[in-house]
Amino acid sequence: MAEKGKDILKAADLLSKNALVSIPTETVYGLAGNALHVDAVLKIFEVKNRPSFDPLIVHISKLSQLENLVSYLPDNARTLAAKFWPGPMTLLLEKQSIIPDIVTAGLPTVAIRIPDHPLTLELLSILAFPLAAPSANPFGYVSPTTAQHVDDQLGDKLSYILDGGPCQIGIESTIIGFSNETPVIYRLGGKSIEDIEKVAGKVLVKKHSSSQPGSPGTLSSHYSPNKVVKLGDLTSFHGRIDLARTGLLRFKEYVAEFPKENQVVLAHSGELKEAAKNLFAAMRDLDRMDVDQIVAELLPEEGLGRAINDRLRRAASSA
Ligand code: TXA
Ligand code: MG
């Protein structure tokens, strides 16, 4: 178990000594270390058991910090940053040499965002360096949305968990690169395509394959519980699976003819925002249930529904 609390000075002190601290954000909890120090960054890869080809996101608290970290800012990046930061959006920008190559896995671009959480913004504002932070879960597993989720899996490898309560968005940031001025979505996330297109014009969405991921870490099989996940309506599996050994992930309502204790509903309100906030905790609940497999219903393919479906498809993928 790691110590949990709201002590920003303690977190800052540990981070200044190259120790790792888990930080709350509006999307998911991060596993943070000094982004400008190779020793701290190496520890992140080690604790997460993350392959070194998978680059990290660098977290800052002020737009002015970009000046020292990136060498070029497309107009559209400036527009998006002004509109959506702090918030669940990460921009891929040409990096300056102050950022160690290990942070970007040798890529010429660095992923940067300003997260929207009061504790972490305050922490970042007193630090003399930005924080590299992947989601605070073992590589490939479901991201954590509470301090307890972090403690459950990485507690014995961490110095401190800054406890900022449950994450309000609940799904990782949308990652956006630029092809000249055109935004290219590398990972669907907490900021919807519809919102992005309103301020930055038409976007392209990068397609991924498991062997050649467009964004090194966006492998098809990811965000996965330990149990087998199958996608679809319960009726489509009729006669093919053992219903007594199945857990259901549902969008708005329970299936009447199925035991309630084997079901998790994402959003009784029917709102995609609520579903996103509950998604990862629901996957963890289903993973702990005494069942052999999970059948997950896909959500409407719009707004945050697209990002939720993306995570469900990856959870279901074995590639
Ligand atoms: O919401 C989030 O983004 C959370 C919180 C903690 O900020 N972080 C997060 O980090 O989800 P992580 O490491 O789990 O996912 C980062 C993704 C990876 O898929 C990685 O491949 C991609 O960002 N990425 C990072 N740098 C990149 C780059 N230069 N080009 C393409 N993809 C990049
Ligand atoms: Mg992750």
Side-chain angles (χ1 to χ4, degrees):
M1 275 220 333
E3 188 185 341
K4 303 190 211 57
K6 296 186 190 300
D7 191 342
I8 291 170
L9 293 178
K10 181 182 173 113
D13 182 55
L14 286 163
L15 288 161
S16 306
K17 293 173 179 147
N18 286 334
L20 303 187
V21 170
S22 180
I23 55 167
T25 82
E26 79 283 30
T27 58
V28 300
Y29 273 74
L31 175 63
N34 182 347
L36 305 183
H37 205 299
V38 173
D39 290 351
V41 177
L42 278 172
K43 270 188 213 159
I44 295 177
F45 281 92
E46 194 182 298
V47 165
K48 247 194 96 111
N49 200 11
R50 181 180 180 110
S52 58
F53 60 76
D54 193 0
L56 305 176
I57 296 176
V58 171
H59 297 70
I60 59 175
S61 59
K62 286 184 289 293
L63 273 176
S64 58
Q65 288 173 278
L66 286 180
E67 225 168 277
N68 298 323
L69 302 175
V70 310
S71 53
Y72 173 68
L73 197 59
D75 285 343
N76 240 339
R78 197 182 299 275
T79 306
L80 284 164
K83 178 83 184 169
F84 294 131
W85 277 349
M89 175 186 77
T90 294
L91 299 179
L92 300 177
L93 302 167
E94 274 174 36
K95 86 175 190 80
Q96 287 192 29
S97 58
I98 187 173
I99 296 175
D101 286 333
I102 179 180
V103 171
T104 64
L107 292 171
T109 53
V110 58
I112 299 198
R113 82 179 191 102
I114 303 184
D116 190 11
H117 193 291
L119 281 185
T120 292
L121 282 174
E122 201 180 327
L123 171 66
L124 285 164
S125 73
I126 59 173
L127 290 173
F129 48 82
L131 290 175
S135 52
N137 52 278
F139 183 70
Y141 194 72
V142 180
S143 297
T145 52
T146 65
Q148 190 57 49
H149 291 164
V150 179
D151 203 9
D152 287 345
Q153 292 186 300
L154 299 179
D156 49 353
K157 296 178 178 154
L158 275 178
S159 307
Y160 191 59
I161 301 174
L162 196 57
D163 188 347
C167 300
Q168 292 304 304
I169 302 282
I171 199 158
E172 300 85 348
S173 60
T174 302
I175 300 181
I176 308 175
F178 297 89
S179 169
N180 299 316
E181 280 293 330
T182 306
V184 182
I185 311 267
Y186 281 66
R187 177 178 72 183
L188 296 165
K191 186 55 71 189
S192 72
I193 292 184
E194 290 87 338
D195 284 352
I196 293 161
E197 289 193 325
K198 267 183 221 149
V199 294
K202 198 85 193 132
V203 303
L204 299 171
V205 181
K206 205 146 179 115
K207 292 265 174 286
H208 305 292
S209 73
S210 56
S211 54
Q212 268 196 319
S215 174
T218 50
L219 302 168
S220 340
S221 173
H222 216 77
Y223 311 100
S224 305
N226 295 317
K227 295 201 168 111
V228 173
V229 178
K230 296 184 167 129
L231 299 180
D233 205 338
L234 197 54
T235 47
S236 59
F237 295 103
H238 218 75
R240 290 193 290 136
I241 56 172
D242 180 358
L243 290 181
R245 300 292 308 157
T246 300
L248 286 191
L249 182 65
R250 299 277 304 165
F251 176 26
K252 297 189 242 193
E253 57 212 351
Y254 295 108
V255 177
E257 59 276 18
F258 199 82
K260 251 193 185 171
E261 62 273 18
N262 283 8
Q263 306 188 49
V264 179
V265 170
L266 289 177
H268 290 283
S269 65
E271 295 204 8
L272 293 169
K273 220 174 142 182
E274 190 192 347
K277 189 174 168 188
N278 293 328
L279 178 69
F280 289 140
M283 285 199 195
R284 282 169 193 261
D285 288 347
L286 284 157
D287 220 8
R288 275 195 304 267
M289 242 176 226
D290 182 23
V291 295
D292 299 329
Q293 65 211 336
I294 299 164
V295 169
E297 172 184 44
L298 286 171
L299 277 62
E301 199 71 33
E302 62 186 35
L304 289 182
R306 268 194 268 258
I308 297 170
N309 287 345
D310 168 78
R311 301 305 186 270
L312 291 174
R313 290 193 182 100
R314 287 180 215 237
S317 168
S318 52

